[in-house]
Amino acid sequence: MRPHAALAVTITALTTLALAPAVPAQAATPAGTYAHDAFVATNHQRLRHDRVKLTRSDCLQGFARMQARRMAHKQEIYHQDLQKILDTCHLNLVGENVAAGFTSGRSVVDDGWMKSKDHRANILERRYRGMAIAARKGDDGRWYVSQVFGRHS
């Protein structure tokens, strides 16, 4: 039986100005494993579709982590302010996928985002070079996930 799953997507292209400090790498936790598996699955999909692998971005990671935490706390999915990410991380292109209810990092990518036209477009966007993913389990027992993409000028 497939878990109830929810998805949302946004793609935005703008210019940027400032930079945030780097965020330390996630520890080996269930949330860290979930995010790592989603990161690997995303790059696997990109390679299958002749796209370059994305690298981890510390700046984007801070935003992904904060968004996953907020969604889990509220037990709902929604997008964050992408303009703030553009400005803080010095990007000219940013996008975000969010989801809830998928039991693993691989599942959120393969069974969720890749089966949705707009989410798939974010994952396969040729211009992206950086990515971050964070997952957080809510008090309702569901995983809440934020995947943030970007490209520098």
Side-chain angles (χ1 to χ4, degrees), residues 12 31 33 42 70 72 89 103 112 115 140:
T12 307
T33 299
T42 297
R70 285 189 300 235
C89 297
T103 58
K115 292 184 177 178
D140 60 358

Side-chain angles (χ1 to χ4, degrees), residues 26-36 133-137 143:
Q26 284 185 311
T29 63
T33 299
Y34 189 112
H36 171 78
I133 302 177
R136 177 79 110 180
K137 196 172 260 194
W143 283 104

Side-chain angles (χ1 to χ4, degrees), residues 7-11 77 79 82 95-99 113 116-123 128 149:
L7 303 170
V9 67
T10 301
I11 300 175
I77 63 169
H79 288 285
L82 297 182
E96 178 181 50
N97 288 342
V98 296
W113 292 328
S116 160
K117 180 184 170 198
D118 292 333
H119 296 93
R120 179 185 176 95
N122 260 348
I123 288 172
Y128 289 141
F149 302 94

Side-chain angles (χ1 to χ4, degrees), residues 19-57:
L19 181 63
V23 178
Q26 284 185 311
T29 63
T33 299
Y34 189 112
H36 171 78
D37 292 349
F39 197 100
V40 170
T42 297
N43 272 329
H44 176 76
Q45 290 292 344
R46 287 183 63 86
L47 291 174
R48 284 186 59 220
H49 293 88
D50 298 320
R51 307 303 195 267
V52 299
K53 286 176 77 171
L54 299 175
T55 59
R56 185 181 181 281
S57 164

Side-chain angles (χ1 to χ4, degrees), residues 100-142:
F102 291 88
T103 58
S104 73
R106 178 176 293 278
S107 178
V108 74
V109 174
D110 295 343
D111 301 326
W113 292 328
M114 287 303 289
K115 292 184 177 178
S116 160
K117 180 184 170 198
D118 292 333
H119 296 93
R120 179 185 176 95
N122 260 348
I123 288 172
L124 299 180
E125 170 57 59
R126 292 182 184 276
R127 296 170 292 174
Y128 289 141
R129 293 297 180 264
M131 172 179 55
I133 302 177
R136 177 79 110 180
K137 196 172 260 194
D139 288 341
D140 60 358
R142 296 173 72 205

